[in-house]
Amino acid sequence: MIRLFVYGTLKRGFAAGDALAQARYVGENAAQGYDLRAVSAPAPDAPYPAMVAQAGMCVLGELYDVPQPLMAGLDAYEGSDYILEDVRLNDGSTAKSYVCIDTPLAPFNAVHAHLKRVDGCAQWVSAPITLREAALDILTTAN
């Protein structure tokens, strides 16, 4: 089994969440030392999240125990712009996660309405957040 941290389209209820149907959901957690960026892509995939190294930041997501045979399909889904690396989680444990290495990224801001801050951690949400929510996220992050 591979302990896998997911933060975007592989989460339950998201576009590719069914890819983890044979994995065991462990719970929510946060990856320390990372942030999210939005990747522009042609519809219907646009935008989608990318986790990047960023000291002092964190990303909210979900933990799964994934059978090894599922990993090849997940690797193919994520593509060559992502590498699977160990990330440190809030509870002190580590897990594997797909980290972006080679894609043009937009900064975390109100333009990318699927990105949200919760208690200082970046979170990818399935429905675009409202302009008011985005403005509050920016004000909260700036303080």
Side-chain angles (χ1 to χ4, degrees):
M1 290 285 192
I2 304 292
R3 177 68 46 107
L4 183 68
F5 175 80
V6 299
Y7 51 84
T9 59
L10 289 169
K11 293 191 309 185
R12 294 175 301 156
F14 284 73
D18 289 346
L20 291 171
Q22 301 303 314
R24 185 178 73 82
Y25 175 75
V26 176
E28 295 182 351
N29 214 312
Q32 297 296 313
Y34 293 90
D35 200 6
L36 288 182
R37 299 290 185 263
V39 177
S40 297
D45 297 327
Y48 61 89
M51 191 167 78
V52 295
Q54 178 84 35
M57 302 302 289
C58 60
V59 173
L60 295 175
E62 299 175 347
L63 270 180
Y64 290 86
D65 285 331
V66 181
Q68 183 64 45
L70 288 181
M71 293 305 296
L74 296 173
D75 290 345
Y77 172 75
E78 292 294 351
S80 62
D81 292 335
Y82 292 82
I83 59 168
L84 196 59
E85 67 178 45
D86 289 323
V87 298
R88 186 174 53 85
L89 304 174
N90 267 359
D91 63 7
S93 66
T94 60
K96 298 287 187 186
S97 191
Y98 290 97
V99 177
C100 187
I101 57 168
D102 192 29
T103 297
L105 304 171
F108 187 110
N109 63 39
V111 173
H112 302 290
H114 289 274
L115 289 173
K116 178 177 181 172
R117 294 255 182 233
V118 177
D119 296 328
C121 288
Q123 181 180 31
W124 188 256
V125 295
S126 59
I129 62 174
T130 66
L131 186 55
R132 181 179 185 283
E133 289 173 311
L136 287 172
D137 284 346
I138 291 170
L139 290 173
T140 302
T141 302
N143 290 332

